[in-house]
Amino acid sequence: MARLKNKKTASKRYWLNALLLILPVVFIYQSFNPEFPASLPETQAGDFTLTAMPYDEDKPYQHDGLYVKDFLVMFQDGGVDEIRQGFLNIGDKPLSIEEAQQHELGILHGTRHGQHVHGLAQERITSGQKIWVTLQTWDGEIHQGSWEIPAHLISDV
């Protein structure tokens, strides 16, 4: 009778070990083949042409007490070197430079190949809001552009 219990335990350990061997392969495959949502269409912010891509289709999440949504912003025309600071937010209107500077989040950062940003948002994204980008060049000019929010990110649909 005691031997029968050992067989069941050994069988469970066998399948647990098999699972532990398979899981890394699954995670490695997923990390080499990421799936991202479609990029947003190009928008114009002054002399700059930009595209943005949300990193996922999830709703905004809380980060350091603020709700944010992650994006990759790519410059099609106009160089990143010409920008002193840039911010991204989701809302009814773009944040002013002074408002955006109050937070460590919402700042564009990265390389000339792509800028990562934790875009400031509210807990729920509504249909009247837009994704706003605000850029300040080294000569102090401020440029703003916007994108329509994809339907899957809107909470009241």
Side-chain angles (χ1 to χ4, degrees):
M1 192 69 172
R3 187 177 177 123
L4 185 60
K5 285 184 179 178
N6 286 341
K7 282 186 175 180
K8 286 184 178 178
T9 304
S11 175
K12 290 178 182 175
R13 275 192 265 151
Y14 172 79
W15 288 110
L16 180 62
N17 286 331
L19 182 65
L20 290 176
L21 290 173
I22 292 171
L23 282 178
V25 174
V26 171
F27 290 128
I28 288 172
Y29 176 80
Q30 288 176 343
S31 67
F32 285 132
N33 299 294
E35 294 180 19
F36 296 106
S39 294
L40 303 176
E42 288 184 355
T43 191
Q44 196 74 29
D47 298 334
F48 302 96
T49 304
L50 309 153
T51 58
M53 180 186 70
Y55 278 149
D56 55 36
E57 296 183 349
D58 297 338
K59 305 294 183 208
Y61 65 95
Q62 199 168 25
H63 180 61
D64 290 342
L66 298 170
Y67 281 93
V68 295
K69 176 79 183 141
D70 294 339
F71 287 90
L72 175 68
V73 177
M74 294 163 284
F75 286 78
Q76 306 300 317
D77 288 330
V80 174
D81 298 340
E82 302 169 34
I83 297 171
R84 179 173 180 250
Q85 57 185 345
F87 300 95
L88 187 137
N89 72 295
I90 300 171
D92 298 327
K93 60 181 179 141
L95 292 178
S96 67
I97 292 288
E98 294 79 19
E99 288 175 296
Q101 289 174 338
Q102 301 297 316
H103 311 286
E104 292 181 9
L105 301 171
I107 301 171
L108 294 171
H109 58 281
T111 68
R112 61 186 168 98
H113 303 292
Q115 297 280 303
H116 174 77
V117 62
H118 300 283
L120 294 171
Q122 297 171 349
E123 184 177 0
R124 298 174 49 94
I125 298 173
T126 58
S127 58
Q129 298 177 332
K130 290 185 172 185
I131 301 166
W132 297 94
V133 63
T134 304
L135 305 172
Q136 183 182 33
T137 58
W138 287 102
D139 58 3
E141 290 183 38
I142 296 186
H143 306 284
Q144 293 177 327
S146 66
W147 293 276
E148 297 294 326
I149 296 176
H152 63 272
L153 294 178
I154 297 173
S155 298
D156 61 350
V157 173

